[in-house]
Amino acid sequence: EFTYADKTVFLKENLKNNCPVSIKELIIDEYQDTNSLQHQILCQLVQNAKARMVVVGDPKQSIYGFRGSSVGVFKSLLSNKNWHHIVLNKNFRTHEILLEEVNKLSQIAFSWQNPRHPVDYSNSFFYEEAQKKYIGENPLVAGIPSQQENSLCVSIVSATVPTKSKLKMNEVAKLEYADFLKEFKKKEQINWSDIVVLCEKN
């Protein structure tokens, strides 16, 4: 029986026979989770087809080392002159105030100098290997900065209705919340598109 690894090697060897593949561009996401053999296969495929390859990835999200993926493959492309490197560090989904806090946590999480490391660890093989895979914090910047200091407004509303019927309670809570949103919109003079409701369920 072929294992996944066997099939991968088999594919790599057969690509040498110039398999007829018709592609112009190959785009691969989550490239930080590839291994060296997969990288060789993809490069051979693109070379045979005389195509272009675009890869997207974040080395900080490399979590599949246990199954053979190597973040080093992705990082090696950064220093390869044949690859054009584009940094996407603008976040368009998170408010800049929240992003500042996320960056602070990232700085702590990715800080290399940990005073709790034993002295012996600094001279170990594991320390040397860890240094090769070290990734800096690379803080994100807000893609859309706020125009006002108080533009981020979070309201938490809890409605408790004393009733035995769960269905009736939900219906009453919905009506109360709908009335609250109407009043809130009117008072704050904002558009419906400025309001986001976060729910535990859909």
Short mmCIF file of all heavy atoms in Angstrom, two decimals, residues 170-201:
data_model
loop_
_atom_site.label_atom_id
_atom_site.label_comp_id
_atom_site.label_asym_id
_atom_site.label_seq_id
_atom_site.Cartn_x
_atom_site.Cartn_y
_atom_site.Cartn_z
N ASN A 170 -37.38 34.62 24.46
CA ASN A 170 -36.57 34.98 23.31
C ASN A 170 -37.26 36.03 22.45
O ASN A 170 -36.62 36.96 21.97
CB ASN A 170 -36.26 33.73 22.46
CG ASN A 170 -35.19 32.86 23.11
OD1 ASN A 170 -34.45 33.33 23.96
ND2 ASN A 170 -35.13 31.61 22.71
N GLU A 171 -38.56 35.87 22.25
CA GLU A 171 -39.30 36.83 21.44
C GLU A 171 -39.32 38.20 22.09
O GLU A 171 -39.12 39.22 21.43
CB GLU A 171 -40.74 36.32 21.20
CG GLU A 171 -40.82 35.10 20.31
CD GLU A 171 -40.21 35.32 18.94
OE1 GLU A 171 -40.43 36.40 18.36
OE2 GLU A 171 -39.48 34.44 18.45
N VAL A 172 -39.54 38.24 23.40
CA VAL A 172 -39.57 39.51 24.13
C VAL A 172 -38.18 40.15 24.10
O VAL A 172 -38.04 41.36 23.89
CB VAL A 172 -40.04 39.30 25.59
CG1 VAL A 172 -39.89 40.59 26.39
CG2 VAL A 172 -41.50 38.85 25.60
N ALA A 173 -37.14 39.33 24.29
CA ALA A 173 -35.77 39.86 24.28
C ALA A 173 -35.44 40.47 22.92
O ALA A 173 -34.80 41.52 22.84
CB ALA A 173 -34.79 38.74 24.62
N LYS A 174 -35.88 39.82 21.85
CA LYS A 174 -35.64 40.35 20.50
C LYS A 174 -36.31 41.71 20.32
O LYS A 174 -35.70 42.64 19.77
CB LYS A 174 -36.17 39.37 19.45
CG LYS A 174 -35.35 38.11 19.28
CD LYS A 174 -36.03 37.20 18.27
CE LYS A 174 -35.36 35.84 18.21
NZ LYS A 174 -36.09 34.92 17.31
N LEU A 175 -37.55 41.81 20.77
CA LEU A 175 -38.28 43.07 20.63
C LEU A 175 -37.62 44.18 21.45
O LEU A 175 -37.48 45.31 20.99
CB LEU A 175 -39.74 42.89 21.06
CG LEU A 175 -40.59 42.01 20.11
CD1 LEU A 175 -41.95 41.74 20.74
CD2 LEU A 175 -40.77 42.70 18.76
N GLU A 176 -37.20 43.82 22.67
CA GLU A 176 -36.54 44.82 23.53
C GLU A 176 -35.23 45.29 22.89
O GLU A 176 -34.91 46.47 22.90
CB GLU A 176 -36.25 44.22 24.92
CG GLU A 176 -37.48 44.13 25.80
CD GLU A 176 -37.12 43.79 27.23
OE1 GLU A 176 -35.92 43.59 27.52
OE2 GLU A 176 -38.04 43.72 28.05
N TYR A 177 -34.49 44.35 22.34
CA TYR A 177 -33.20 44.71 21.74
C TYR A 177 -33.40 45.53 20.47
O TYR A 177 -32.65 46.45 20.19
CB TYR A 177 -32.39 43.45 21.45
CG TYR A 177 -30.94 43.75 21.18
CD1 TYR A 177 -30.13 44.31 22.18
CD2 TYR A 177 -30.37 43.54 19.94
CE1 TYR A 177 -28.81 44.62 21.94
CE2 TYR A 177 -29.04 43.84 19.69
CZ TYR A 177 -28.27 44.39 20.69
OH TYR A 177 -26.96 44.70 20.47
N ALA A 178 -34.45 45.19 19.71
CA ALA A 178 -34.75 45.94 18.49
C ALA A 178 -35.11 47.40 18.85
O ALA A 178 -34.63 48.34 18.20
CB ALA A 178 -35.91 45.29 17.74
N ASP A 179 -35.90 47.57 19.92
CA ASP A 179 -36.25 48.93 20.36
C ASP A 179 -35.01 49.68 20.83
O ASP A 179 -34.84 50.87 20.55
CB ASP A 179 -37.27 48.85 21.51
CG ASP A 179 -38.66 48.46 21.00
OD1 ASP A 179 -38.91 48.65 19.80
OD2 ASP A 179 -39.47 47.97 21.80
N PHE A 180 -34.14 48.96 21.54
CA PHE A 180 -32.90 49.59 22.02
C PHE A 180 -32.04 50.08 20.85
O PHE A 180 -31.52 51.19 20.86
CB PHE A 180 -32.09 48.62 22.88
CG PHE A 180 -30.65 49.04 23.06
CD1 PHE A 180 -30.31 50.03 23.97
CD2 PHE A 180 -29.64 48.46 22.29
CE1 PHE A 180 -29.00 50.44 24.12
CE2 PHE A 180 -28.33 48.87 22.43
CZ PHE A 180 -28.01 49.86 23.34
N LEU A 181 -31.91 49.23 19.81
CA LEU A 181 -31.08 49.59 18.66
C LEU A 181 -31.64 50.81 17.94
O LEU A 181 -30.89 51.68 17.50
CB LEU A 181 -30.98 48.41 17.69
CG LEU A 181 -30.05 47.27 18.12
CD1 LEU A 181 -30.12 46.13 17.10
CD2 LEU A 181 -28.62 47.74 18.26
N LYS A 182 -32.97 50.87 17.81
CA LYS A 182 -33.59 52.03 17.16
C LYS A 182 -33.28 53.31 17.93
O LYS A 182 -32.94 54.33 17.34
CB LYS A 182 -35.11 51.82 17.08
CG LYS A 182 -35.52 50.76 16.07
CD LYS A 182 -37.03 50.57 16.11
CE LYS A 182 -37.46 49.40 15.23
NZ LYS A 182 -38.91 49.13 15.36
N GLU A 183 -33.41 53.25 19.27
CA GLU A 183 -33.14 54.43 20.09
C GLU A 183 -31.65 54.79 20.06
O GLU A 183 -31.28 55.96 19.99
CB GLU A 183 -33.58 54.16 21.54
CG GLU A 183 -35.09 54.10 21.73
CD GLU A 183 -35.76 55.42 21.37
OE1 GLU A 183 -35.20 56.48 21.71
OE2 GLU A 183 -36.83 55.38 20.73
N PHE A 184 -30.80 53.76 20.11
CA PHE A 184 -29.35 53.97 20.09
C PHE A 184 -28.93 54.64 18.78
O PHE A 184 -28.14 55.57 18.76
CB PHE A 184 -28.64 52.62 20.26
CG PHE A 184 -27.14 52.72 20.28
CD1 PHE A 184 -26.46 53.13 21.42
CD2 PHE A 184 -26.38 52.41 19.15
CE1 PHE A 184 -25.08 53.22 21.44
CE2 PHE A 184 -25.01 52.50 19.16
CZ PHE A 184 -24.35 52.91 20.31
N LYS A 185 -29.46 54.15 17.65
CA LYS A 185 -29.16 54.71 16.34
C LYS A 185 -29.59 56.17 16.25
O LYS A 185 -28.84 57.02 15.75
CB LYS A 185 -29.88 53.88 15.27
CG LYS A 185 -29.73 54.42 13.85
CD LYS A 185 -30.53 53.57 12.88
CE LYS A 185 -30.43 54.13 11.47
NZ LYS A 185 -31.06 55.45 11.31
N LYS A 186 -30.77 56.45 16.78
CA LYS A 186 -31.30 57.82 16.74
C LYS A 186 -30.48 58.75 17.61
O LYS A 186 -30.11 59.86 17.21
CB LYS A 186 -32.76 57.80 17.20
CG LYS A 186 -33.48 59.12 17.08
CD LYS A 186 -34.93 58.97 17.50
CE LYS A 186 -35.68 60.30 17.41
NZ LYS A 186 -37.08 60.16 17.86
N LYS A 187 -30.15 58.30 18.83
CA LYS A 187 -29.41 59.11 19.79
C LYS A 187 -27.99 59.40 19.31
O LYS A 187 -27.51 60.53 19.41
CB LYS A 187 -29.37 58.39 21.13
CG LYS A 187 -28.62 59.14 22.22
CD LYS A 187 -28.58 58.33 23.50
CE LYS A 187 -27.72 59.02 24.55
NZ LYS A 187 -27.58 58.19 25.77
N GLU A 188 -27.31 58.38 18.78
CA GLU A 188 -25.91 58.53 18.35
C GLU A 188 -25.78 59.08 16.93
O GLU A 188 -24.67 59.37 16.49
CB GLU A 188 -25.19 57.18 18.43
CG GLU A 188 -25.13 56.58 19.83
CD GLU A 188 -24.28 57.41 20.77
OE1 GLU A 188 -23.29 58.02 20.31
OE2 GLU A 188 -24.60 57.44 21.97
N GLN A 189 -26.92 59.17 16.22
CA GLN A 189 -26.93 59.67 14.85
C GLN A 189 -25.96 58.89 13.96
O GLN A 189 -25.05 59.45 13.33
CB GLN A 189 -26.62 61.17 14.82
CG GLN A 189 -27.66 62.02 15.54
CD GLN A 189 -27.34 63.50 15.48
OE1 GLN A 189 -26.25 63.89 15.09
NE2 GLN A 189 -28.29 64.33 15.86
N ILE A 190 -26.15 57.60 13.94
CA ILE A 190 -25.30 56.72 13.13
C ILE A 190 -26.17 55.94 12.15
O ILE A 190 -27.39 55.89 12.28
CB ILE A 190 -24.48 55.75 14.00
CG1 ILE A 190 -25.42 54.92 14.90
CG2 ILE A 190 -23.46 56.48 14.84
CD1 ILE A 190 -24.70 53.88 15.71
N ASN A 191 -25.51 55.30 11.18
CA ASN A 191 -26.21 54.49 10.18
C ASN A 191 -26.31 53.05 10.64
O ASN A 191 -25.54 52.59 11.48
CB ASN A 191 -25.47 54.55 8.84
CG ASN A 191 -25.38 55.96 8.30
OD1 ASN A 191 -26.35 56.72 8.35
ND2 ASN A 191 -24.21 56.32 7.80
N TRP A 192 -27.25 52.32 10.04
CA TRP A 192 -27.37 50.90 10.37
C TRP A 192 -26.08 50.15 10.03
O TRP A 192 -25.72 49.19 10.70
CB TRP A 192 -28.56 50.27 9.61
CG TRP A 192 -29.90 50.66 10.15
CD1 TRP A 192 -30.86 51.37 9.51
CD2 TRP A 192 -30.43 50.37 11.45
NE1 TRP A 192 -31.96 51.54 10.32
CE2 TRP A 192 -31.72 50.93 11.53
CE3 TRP A 192 -29.94 49.69 12.56
CZ2 TRP A 192 -32.53 50.84 12.65
CZ3 TRP A 192 -30.74 49.59 13.68
CH2 TRP A 192 -32.02 50.16 13.73
N SER A 193 -25.39 50.62 9.00
CA SER A 193 -24.15 49.94 8.59
C SER A 193 -23.03 50.10 9.61
O SER A 193 -22.00 49.42 9.53
CB SER A 193 -23.69 50.48 7.23
OG SER A 193 -23.46 51.88 7.32
N ASP A 194 -23.21 51.01 10.59
CA ASP A 194 -22.20 51.21 11.63
C ASP A 194 -22.42 50.30 12.84
O ASP A 194 -21.62 50.33 13.78
CB ASP A 194 -22.21 52.67 12.10
CG ASP A 194 -21.84 53.64 10.99
OD1 ASP A 194 -20.99 53.26 10.17
OD2 ASP A 194 -22.42 54.74 10.94
N ILE A 195 -23.49 49.53 12.83
CA ILE A 195 -23.83 48.70 13.99
C ILE A 195 -23.54 47.24 13.69
O ILE A 195 -23.89 46.72 12.64
CB ILE A 195 -25.34 48.87 14.34
CG1 ILE A 195 -25.63 50.33 14.75
CG2 ILE A 195 -25.74 47.92 15.46
CD1 ILE A 195 -27.08 50.61 15.01
N VAL A 196 -22.85 46.60 14.64
CA VAL A 196 -22.55 45.19 14.52
C VAL A 196 -23.10 44.48 15.76
O VAL A 196 -22.88 44.94 16.87
CB VAL A 196 -21.02 44.94 14.42
CG1 VAL A 196 -20.71 43.46 14.38
CG2 VAL A 196 -20.45 45.63 13.21
N VAL A 197 -23.80 43.39 15.55
CA VAL A 197 -24.35 42.61 16.65
C VAL A 197 -23.61 41.28 16.71
O VAL A 197 -23.60 40.53 15.74
CB VAL A 197 -25.87 42.37 16.47
CG1 VAL A 197 -26.41 41.55 17.64
CG2 VAL A 197 -26.62 43.68 16.34
N LEU A 198 -22.99 41.00 17.84
CA LEU A 198 -22.26 39.74 18.03
C LEU A 198 -23.14 38.77 18.80
O LEU A 198 -23.69 39.12 19.86
CB LEU A 198 -20.95 39.98 18.79
CG LEU A 198 -19.99 41.00 18.15
CD1 LEU A 198 -18.75 41.15 19.03
CD2 LEU A 198 -19.59 40.55 16.76
N CYS A 199 -23.27 37.57 18.30
CA CYS A 199 -24.16 36.56 18.90
C CYS A 199 -23.39 35.27 19.17
O CYS A 199 -22.42 34.97 18.47
CB CYS A 199 -25.33 36.26 18.00
SG CYS A 199 -26.26 37.71 17.48
N GLU A 200 -23.82 34.52 20.17
CA GLU A 200 -23.22 33.22 20.43
C GLU A 200 -23.60 32.22 19.35
O GLU A 200 -22.87 31.29 19.03
CB GLU A 200 -23.67 32.68 21.80
CG GLU A 200 -23.07 33.46 22.96
CD GLU A 200 -23.43 32.84 24.29
OE1 GLU A 200 -24.02 31.74 24.30
OE2 GLU A 200 -23.14 33.46 25.32
N LYS A 201 -24.80 32.38 18.80
CA LYS A 201 -25.28 31.49 17.73
C LYS A 201 -25.78 32.34 16.58
O LYS A 201 -25.95 33.54 16.70
CB LYS A 201 -26.40 30.58 18.24
CG LYS A 201 -25.97 29.65 19.37
CD LYS A 201 -27.13 28.78 19.79
CE LYS A 201 -26.70 27.83 20.92
NZ LYS A 201 -27.82 27.00 21.40
#
